[in-house]
Amino acid sequence: MTISTETRPMPNIDPSTPGLPRKNASRIRVTVVSAIIAAAAGLGGIYGIGGFMRNAHAQAQCAPAVDLAKKIAPLAKGEVAALTMATAPLQLPDLTFEDSEGKTRKLSEWKGRTVLVNLWATWCVPCRKEMPALDKLQETLGGADFEVVAINIDTRDPEKPKNFLKEAALTKLAYFHDRKAKVFQDLKSAGRALGMPTSVLVDGAGCEIATLAGPAEWASDDALKLIKAATAK
């Protein structure tokens, strides 16, 4: 019997992939990586398109608020001269807070009404000074078309802001609060809260008409004329 001494070449095995030739393993790895990249690109495209669509929707929905801001801009004078009128469409975040009974409320609940969103706190001296004017504004113009939504952001003693309103006999404003002060962070993220107090005039679609950083005499003739013009139909 003749024993062959011929040495046959062994298949090129990839040590990281037992049992597979190196070329096949490499092809598999390339295919998997390509699939992952394609999937990531696809997801990015989906989210990118989704973001574009949301922005386009917000711009279309908020265009009337910008037009209104231009129309009433001449009225931003005197006691409300510090108002910054909207020059580009901006839909505010759907702010979440609580009412006096602890029920969760959202800004979107005021859809169809013009709202003056005001953030205040008892530790903010200018806030306390302007609260009587906001209360008077609510008494004068508050109704089916307009409301002052003043949101307290005291984070410690929940009774302190309630006692302040009671002692100051401010009874026309509904009591809203956010003990985590997230509403401030949400407006800050939107570029509309730089300090306290902060007020944003919002139309019925939740879009910015004007923003004011600091206090104002909201019960003045200047303010009343501007709010009336903003709510005129």
Side-chain angles (χ1 to χ4, degrees):
M1 178 181 296
T2 302
I3 300 176
S4 175
T5 59
E6 179 183 359
T7 303
R8 296 184 180 180
M10 296 294 292
N12 196 1
I13 303 296
D14 187 332
S16 65
T17 311
L20 286 180
R22 181 169 297 160
K23 291 183 178 179
N24 290 343
S26 298
R27 289 186 187 131
I28 291 173
R29 281 198 296 271
V30 170
T31 301
V32 171
V33 171
S34 298
I36 293 174
I37 293 173
L43 287 174
I46 291 172
Y47 283 110
I49 292 172
F52 174 79
M53 294 298 290
R54 286 192 295 272
N55 290 337
H57 175 72
Q59 288 192 4
Q61 192 170 28
C62 294
V66 176
D67 292 339
L68 177 59
K70 291 178 182 178
K71 180 180 178 181
I72 67 175
L75 298 176
K77 59 184 181 180
E79 296 293 344
V80 288
L83 273 171
T84 299
M85 310 307 291
T87 57
L90 175 66
Q91 188 161 42
L92 264 64
D94 194 8
L95 304 177
T96 301
F97 43 93
E98 295 182 356
D99 61 19
S100 59
E101 298 178 353
K103 180 182 177 181
T104 298
R105 306 295 297 273
K106 290 190 174 185
L107 181 60
S108 55
E109 294 178 33
W110 280 263
K111 183 177 181 180
R113 303 169 68 186
T114 303
V115 176
L116 181 65
V117 176
N118 174 270
L119 304 188
W120 69 283
T122 57
W123 46 261
C124 166
V125 175
C127 298
R128 297 201 305 269
K129 287 184 176 180
E130 80 168 349
M131 291 305 289
L134 288 167
D135 191 72
K136 184 65 177 177
L137 174 61
Q138 174 61 26
E139 180 182 19
T140 304
L141 296 182
D145 297 324
F146 173 76
E147 184 172 350
V148 178
V149 178
I151 308 169
N152 175 266
I153 61 169
D154 279 50
T155 58
R156 295 183 179 180
D157 183 0
E159 297 303 316
K160 191 172 182 179
K162 293 180 183 179
N163 291 336
F164 166 77
L165 294 174
K166 183 178 180 180
E167 292 169 3
L170 305 179
T171 60
K172 304 305 178 182
L173 292 172
Y175 179 64
F176 301 111
H177 63 100
D178 175 14
R179 293 191 61 191
K180 295 182 179 179
K182 187 175 182 300
V183 288
F184 181 86
Q185 295 302 323
D186 288 343
L187 285 181
K188 184 178 180 181
S189 296
R192 293 302 179 270
L194 303 177
M196 291 288 288
T198 287
S199 298
V200 186
L201 187 61
V202 186
D203 76 353
C207 302
E208 175 198 34
I209 301 171
T211 298
L212 192 150
E217 184 51 61
W218 291 107
S220 65
D221 288 340
D222 294 323
L224 293 177
K225 288 178 181 178
L226 186 138
I227 299 296
K228 286 179 180 178
T231 56
K233 295 181 178 179

